[in-house]
Amino acid sequence: MPADDCWFEDARVRPDRKATLEALIHRVFARRSVAHLRDWQSDWHRKDLIRDIRSQSTQYAAVSDPENGPIPFALGHLRIRDGHLETVATPLAVEHPEVLVRLLSEFLEPGACVWFRQGEAQVGWEIRGEGAVERLSGEDEVEQA
């Protein structure tokens, strides 16, 4: 289910994965128009972007195939500042929240929480390790800053 907004708590980027995450953010941002392309170009650009993300993320590779998969366009609206991941768009709509969280589990330190607002409800995931995420319930557990 798509989310209307997204925010992070304690989202420290793993120092050894920072450069790869920055490159992915820039690639997805630069190719954000793929969702709006038509005709044969859209198919070619989409497949190219999927292959690109798969080459940098084993977690994304697990939920996609070489030519098809949910594209985490929200990734292109994030940035790393002072070693922490944060959004640059408010609100940040996320088409595939769990795919984004699993992908980010490769790049964020354990303990990071990724929260989503879906209508009136809030749902989050705590990253425990690469590919290891725990779903959190929401309403009373967090106040958005």
Side-chain angles (χ1 to χ4, degrees), residues 56-130:
Q56 300 299 316
S57 170
T58 58
Q59 292 300 308
Y60 181 74
V63 297
S64 62
D65 64 52
E67 296 187 352
N68 197 14
I71 298 177
F73 283 111
L75 186 64
H77 298 284
L78 305 177
R79 71 175 169 200
I80 301 169
R81 184 164 43 158
D82 298 327
H84 286 76
L85 190 64
E86 63 184 25
T87 62
V88 293
T90 305
L92 177 62
V94 179
E95 189 75 21
H96 306 283
E98 192 166 358
V99 170
L100 181 63
V101 172
R102 292 200 178 275
L103 185 151
L104 290 175
S105 74
E106 289 183 63
F107 301 97
L108 297 178
E109 296 281 352
C113 292
V114 185
W115 288 95
F116 300 94
R117 183 179 324 282
Q118 297 172 329
E120 294 297 315
Q122 293 179 2
V123 63
W125 280 272
E126 181 177 352
I127 294 174
R128 300 291 179 121
E130 188 172 324

